Amino acid sequence: MPRTWRLVDRQSGRVLVDRVVLADRFFTRLLGWQFRRLPAGEGLLLVPCRSIHTCFMRGAIDVVFLGDGGEVLSVRRHLRPWRAAAGPRGTRAILEVPAGEAPGREGDRLHLTPPSDAPAVPLPPTADFLF
């Protein structure tokens, strides 16, 4: 099963993030992007997750808090290193992208699709609310 996905706007079908790494295990969520730069055009989806920290990060990030059905609950832009952010009530996942690249606005509905070169497979149960 691929560990990378595409993040798509459910209404328009437009690809918002071409490469999303799914962090749905303890160590992938724990490490996140610590000690390295977040590549441009890439995101990290932490599932399940309600809050994050940016300790040991090398630069600012944009943070998108997602609820049921992939609804964007809140967007926090340019979160600098050594900060913390908690999602609003109902947060089920958090998407981290490079600063200035946050996709969507509050109320948008996003979902994950396999990359075009990968076979269609179901998401892991931890992230199936985004499919």
Side-chain angles (χ1 to χ4, degrees):
M1 185 172 348
R3 303 299 298 164
T4 62
W5 300 83
R6 282 185 169 169
L7 187 68
V8 177
D9 181 285
R10 192 177 296 265
Q11 185 174 9
S12 69
R14 184 171 59 101
V15 175
L16 301 173
V17 181
D18 197 45
R19 182 172 153 78
V20 175
V21 176
L22 186 60
D24 64 339
R25 292 186 169 83
F26 176 77
F27 284 110
T28 56
R29 287 192 317 267
L30 177 67
L31 289 178
W33 294 116
Q34 294 182 95
F35 308 109
R36 54 190 171 145
R37 290 212 183 273
L38 185 59
E42 190 167 311
L44 179 70
L45 182 65
L46 301 142
V47 180
C49 189
R50 294 187 178 147
S51 63
I52 58 142
H53 68 83
T54 58
C55 298
F56 306 104
M57 297 211 33
R58 294 182 176 207
I61 60 173
D62 287 351
V63 181
V64 181
F65 299 97
L66 300 167
D68 286 329
E71 179 184 4
V72 176
L73 300 176
S74 178
V75 178
R76 179 105 183 252
R77 299 182 193 282
H78 297 279
L79 187 63
R80 296 187 327 225
W82 298 99
R83 303 291 190 271
R89 180 173 295 223
T91 298
R92 297 217 19 214
I94 296 177
L95 176 71
E96 297 178 351
V97 295
E101 294 186 18
R105 301 178 306 267
E106 287 183 32
D108 285 353
R109 292 211 179 261
L110 312 178
H111 75 272
L112 295 173
T113 62
S116 58
D117 59 345
V121 294
L123 280 172
T126 55
D128 65 356
F129 70 96
L130 287 170
F131 197 58

